[in-house]
Amino acid sequence: MKKSRRYGKYNGTRRLSAADSLYQNVTDSQNFITNAKLIHRIIGLAGFQAEDTVLEIGTGKGHLTEALCRSAGKVCSVEIDRRLYESAGRRLSQFSNLKLIHGDFLKYDLPAKGTYRVFANIPYFITTQIIEKLTRTTNPPVEMWLVMEKGAAKRFLGIPKETKKSLLLKAGWDMKIVYHFRREDFHPMPAVDSVLVHFAKRAAPDLTRDEYHAFQKFIEQSMKYGICGKGGPLTRRQVAVALKQAGLPHAHEDGVTLYIQWLCLFRWYQRTLDNRK
């Protein structure tokens, strides 16, 4: 996906600011889900209860929002497009459990305390920014259901091969594709395949905050030079011994290094550094 230009884009008469450019990209990239049966099906997968608070990113025409209001105890929905915000406000005025906000979600202050969940059909071109905002905050949601482009979802899930993003996410989140959409399920129809991904925050993450940053550096070094390549963090012997002692397969037998293998090798690397001190 193309990154937003730093100074915005040209609309034929004037150069748009970065904020205007983001707004234009969001409004141009919206693909709505309006089929009532489909909405009931995918929201049913979340199993919301009357005590749940749900955050929605992008109210759109309000179809998903209405179903969320009927399923959860409290719904907060953020919409950047004023026209859609005002239209949805009229459509959803009957729901006293809805807080509708006009604004940019990337600038929206997430709840500082309390438990909440997220369900959203997100703008695909800012998928990475949205996931980073939700997972790196001091009070992240306990669960997320995000409609996203299938290719991006596979990269975040490490399919077919782990990525830096997938490895860092797996330290604190369990992730799974729970629904595959047809392109005709959206209006207008997107040019890419879409899926619904469930993110569940682990009660006990694999890494502390300090370990997380060290793990990030370990991944970056390993992906740049190879885990046991010249400039890599470990030797071939260390990799073989570490995985053997953990009862894990060799890292390169099938050309894929799994998250659990990465974590094992990182732990070994940390112990190696401690022993050197």
Side-chain angles (χ1 to χ4, degrees):
M1 297 181 183
K2 295 181 178 178
K3 296 181 179 179
S4 299
R5 294 174 180 144
R6 181 179 179 185
Y7 299 107
K9 61 183 181 180
Y10 193 68
N11 70 350
T13 57
R14 65 183 178 87
R15 185 167 296 281
L16 300 178
S17 67
D20 288 339
S21 180
L22 174 62
Y23 170 81
Q24 189 66 51
N25 284 332
V26 170
T27 56
D28 289 346
S29 65
Q30 289 175 319
N31 303 97
F32 304 106
I33 303 174
T34 58
N35 183 279
K37 289 184 178 180
L38 175 58
I39 290 173
H40 178 76
R41 182 174 183 179
I42 61 175
I43 289 184
L45 294 173
F48 293 127
Q49 303 296 319
E51 64 271 17
D52 289 333
T53 296
V54 179
L55 171 63
E56 182 186 28
I57 304 162
T59 314
K61 295 182 178 181
H63 293 81
L64 277 172
T65 317
E66 179 177 352
L68 289 173
C69 288
R70 297 185 186 280
S71 302
K74 182 179 179 181
V75 178
C76 180
S77 185
V78 183
E79 175 57 57
I80 193 172
D81 187 313
R82 176 166 290 281
R83 178 180 57 84
L84 290 174
Y85 163 77
E86 293 175 348
S87 176
R90 293 189 293 270
R91 173 191 174 95
L92 304 169
S93 60
Q94 62 177 303
F95 295 104
S96 59
N97 63 335
L98 171 65
K99 182 179 181 181
L100 194 57
I101 297 172
H102 175 241
D104 177 3
F105 171 74
L106 296 180
K107 298 178 181 178
Y108 172 73
D109 290 331
L110 293 169
K113 58 182 180 178
T115 298
Y116 66 101
R117 290 162 169 79
V118 173
F119 196 105
N121 175 19
I122 62 176
Y124 292 174
F125 83 101
I126 52 172
T127 296
T128 297
Q129 295 96 312
I130 288 174
I131 291 178
E132 288 181 350
K133 179 181 177 74
L134 290 168
T135 58
R136 295 183 181 181
T137 182
T138 55
N139 181 40
V142 294
E143 288 183 294
M144 305 186 295
W145 286 263
L146 301 179
V147 179
M148 64 176 67
E149 190 263 322
K150 183 178 179 180
K154 291 173 70 175
R155 289 190 292 275
F156 282 111
L157 270 64
I159 301 172
K161 184 178 180 181
E162 298 288 2
T163 65
K164 177 184 173 182
K165 287 184 174 63
S166 71
L167 290 169
L168 292 175
L169 276 172
K170 287 180 179 181
W173 298 82
D174 292 315
M175 301 171 288
K176 183 180 180 181
I177 294 176
V178 295
Y179 191 84
H180 292 261
F181 295 94
R182 303 173 304 163
R183 296 188 184 186
E184 305 85 67
D185 289 332
F186 298 86
H187 175 75
M189 187 171 66
V192 295
D193 292 326
S194 305
V195 294
L196 177 63
V197 182
H198 177 224
F199 297 74
K201 185 169 71 73
R202 294 183 179 179
D206 288 331
L207 303 169
T208 65
R209 183 176 294 274
D210 289 341
E211 288 175 331
Y212 178 90
H213 293 296
F215 186 50
Q216 182 175 359
K217 292 180 180 179
F218 176 80
I219 293 169
E220 291 171 349
Q221 182 181 1
S222 299
M223 289 188 168
K224 182 176 182 179
Y225 299 106
I227 293 177
C228 50
K230 184 178 181 181
L234 297 172
T235 65
R236 289 185 180 277
R237 184 178 181 281
Q238 287 174 324
V239 169
V241 172
L243 294 176
K244 183 177 181 180
Q245 289 183 355
L248 296 173
H250 191 277
H252 303 292
E253 281 183 357
D254 58 359
V256 176
T257 303
L258 304 174
Y259 167 71
I260 192 171
Q261 295 170 316
W262 278 96
L263 188 61
C264 170
L265 296 175
F266 169 69
R267 298 290 192 202
W268 182 278
Y269 176 68
Q270 289 291 89
R271 289 196 296 271
T272 300
L273 289 180
D274 290 340
N275 291 335
R276 291 174 182 174
K277 294 179 181 179

